[in-house]
Amino acid sequence: MTSTAAEPVVQAPAVPRKPKRGRVKCIVWDLDHTLWEGVLLEDGTTALREDVVAEIRRLDEAGVLHSIASRNDHEAAMERLREYGVDDLFLHPQINWNAKSHSVREIARALNIGLDAIAFVDDQEFERAEVARELPDVITVDALEVHRAFEREEFRPRFITDESRQRRSMYRGQIEREQAESEFVGPSEQFLSDLGMRLSITRARTEDLQRAEELTIRTNQLNSTGRTYSYEELDALRTSPDHLLLVASLEDRFGSYGKIGVTLIEKGEEHWHLRLLLMSCRVMSRGVGTILLNHLMNLAKEAGVTLRADFVETGRNRMMQIAYAFAGFEEIGREGNEVLMENDLSAIQAPASYVTVITDDGASAA
């Protein structure tokens, strides 16, 4: 579609290549001759590789998650992990007789992360080759080469934030939420109401910027443009009188989700331009993206302007495009995969009843 607006269309930014640094969000480990020496089901004699556990704990502090894909007896393996006191380090362990590629795919699904954010460690060349063949986006690592491999930039986040250190516990909280939701009988909106969610939307502060940069790098599915922003760029935008940089945080009765959203608006006299809207995939099912978008629409309406938005089709952010369409944005310009949308703000949805929204001025809406 070509532009129907009278004035020239401001094109959306091109999608840059995601930086390699800190790309890995989860490392999936084999057990026999990898996490421990020995084969559990042969004679039951194993010895934990303390150097490997030290790497796991170091990366856990940096916000990298860990899981297991092992061909083993589930109960026996979990009991051995508990004996070693390391069972709590691993999320959604897949200990069964399935192909390792199947287990890795299940872990990615359970964590709601892309396969390109996963590394797989195994001592068997056959197993690594099977995963590489079936899941070419996954990084494969020889169990004897972990120390050297983990020096690569893919395993080294630029920043280690409070969010990083709490990431595993946040995912544990998510597991509890999912368990509670699976056991809940009644309308989904009633379950959401019972969560007691509180969404804070505030102007970005200096202490928010490391996490904001991390979100632009790590968030793919609920990201309007796929563009990354450095700490320095975000700091300049934070203090710019022509821009509004907001950060969203979420908590409920199971605990904090942490900082889960970033928005960037460029202010104009007739239009405000939404240059970036992203949300962590962990809150995809909570409707928070729509609530944040409605908040931005209300801010623009109060300023007496219309709201335009950049959208770049990355192949992974279809859900964000649907959110824009559902909120009343219409396409007014396109060049390739770069789309310009506009909302005249004539119809803004009422706030969801199951979320309390807290803003900078302390106002709240239920």
Side-chain angles (χ1 to χ4, degrees):
M1 178 184 293
T2 58
S3 172
T4 59
E7 61 188 84
V9 170
V10 179
Q11 296 298 335
V15 183
R17 185 183 298 275
K18 286 278 185 181
K20 291 173 63 177
R21 183 159 186 179
R23 161 188 162 186
V24 173
K25 299 180 184 179
C26 178
I27 301 173
V28 178
W29 297 84
D30 177 40
L31 293 178
D32 294 334
H33 292 308
T34 300
L35 184 66
W36 54 57
E37 298 294 350
V39 179
L40 179 64
L41 296 185
E42 285 188 354
D43 60 9
T45 301
T46 60
L48 189 67
R49 292 182 63 186
E50 297 290 353
D51 61 324
V52 169
V53 173
E55 287 283 10
I56 290 173
R57 293 190 185 280
R58 178 183 66 80
L59 289 163
D60 178 71
E61 282 285 308
V64 178
L65 305 174
H66 298 271
S67 189
I68 293 170
S70 173
R71 294 176 185 270
N72 239 308
D73 179 85
H74 183 272
E75 292 304 320
M78 289 303 301
E79 179 59 30
R80 187 57 50 91
L81 290 167
R82 286 189 287 269
E83 290 174 7
Y84 286 135
V86 297
D87 57 300
D88 193 53
L89 291 171
F90 302 100
L91 300 172
H92 300 289
Q94 300 295 302
I95 303 173
N96 49 52
W97 302 106
N98 295 329
K100 295 290 182 72
S101 60
H102 180 273
S103 293
V104 171
R105 196 187 300 275
E106 281 299 299
I107 292 164
R109 181 196 60 77
L111 294 175
N112 199 18
I113 60 176
L115 290 166
D116 60 349
I118 288 181
F120 170 68
V121 183
D122 200 295
D123 66 302
Q124 295 291 320
E125 183 177 359
F126 167 81
E127 300 287 12
R128 299 195 303 272
E130 190 270 334
V131 169
R133 182 181 68 251
E134 298 297 323
L135 308 174
D137 289 337
V138 172
I139 297 172
T140 58
V141 177
D142 187 331
L144 297 178
E145 299 291 330
V146 291
H147 300 292
R148 182 181 305 171
F150 292 171
E151 293 176 356
R152 290 159 46 184
E153 61 181 336
E154 293 96 325
F155 296 90
R156 294 187 292 111
R158 183 180 178 194
F159 299 116
I160 299 177
T161 65
D162 289 340
E163 301 270 342
S164 304
R165 298 183 184 92
Q166 298 172 21
R167 183 161 292 126
R168 175 162 51 93
S169 66
M170 290 180 182
Y171 271 86
R172 289 283 181 202
Q174 182 62 20
I175 292 172
E176 292 181 25
R177 290 182 190 97
E178 291 172 356
Q179 179 66 27
E181 187 168 12
S182 70
E183 296 172 355
F184 183 82
V185 178
S188 59
E189 188 162 308
Q190 181 60 50
F191 174 76
L192 294 175
S193 180
D194 290 349
L195 285 176
M197 287 187 288
R198 293 166 57 87
L199 176 66
S200 297
I201 306 172
T202 60
R203 290 179 179 270
R205 301 163 297 176
T206 302
E207 56 266 35
D208 297 325
L209 299 184
Q210 291 182 356
R211 172 58 176 163
E213 179 192 282
E214 183 182 48
L215 279 168
T216 71
I217 293 171
R218 295 169 64 98
T219 306
N220 297 302
Q221 296 182 57
L222 296 180
N223 189 324
S224 62
T225 66
R227 180 179 173 183
T228 62
Y229 289 82
S230 70
Y231 178 98
E232 293 76 17
E233 288 175 311
L234 291 167
D235 196 32
L237 292 164
R238 180 183 67 85
T239 57
S240 167
D242 299 323
H243 293 84
L244 181 61
L245 181 65
L246 300 177
V247 174
S249 303
L250 185 67
E251 62 180 24
D252 65 17
R253 64 184 174 91
F254 290 100
S256 173
Y257 296 75
K259 298 180 182 69
I260 45 78
V262 177
T263 68
L264 173 63
I265 287 178
E266 182 178 336
K267 297 179 180 180
E269 293 184 1
E270 297 183 12
H271 313 286
W272 280 10
H273 204 128
L274 185 50
R275 296 295 186 182
L276 176 69
L277 173 65
L278 67 82
M279 300 292 294
S280 169
C281 299
R282 290 183 289 117
V283 298
M284 182 181 292
S285 63
R286 299 296 178 246
V288 175
T290 298
I291 295 170
L292 178 56
L293 188 53
N294 288 345
H295 177 73
L296 301 177
M297 293 164 61
N298 277 311
L299 290 179
K301 187 171 184 177
E302 291 170 5
V305 296
T306 58
L307 185 61
R308 291 183 171 181
D310 291 333
F311 182 80
V312 180
E313 297 169 343
T314 65
R316 301 183 64 180
N317 61 353
R318 174 66 175 165
M319 289 300 296
M320 184 62 79
Q321 191 170 24
I322 292 172
Y324 273 132
F326 186 72
F329 283 82
E330 296 183 354
E331 182 177 316
I332 63 171
R334 172 185 286 270
E335 184 173 329
N337 66 337
E338 303 173 12
V339 181
L340 183 70
M341 301 178 175
E342 185 172 71
N343 193 315
D344 64 8
L345 308 178
S346 60
I348 301 177
Q349 300 174 48
S353 60
Y354 53 80
V355 178
T356 298
V357 179
I358 310 297
T359 59
D360 276 305
D361 58 8
S364 65

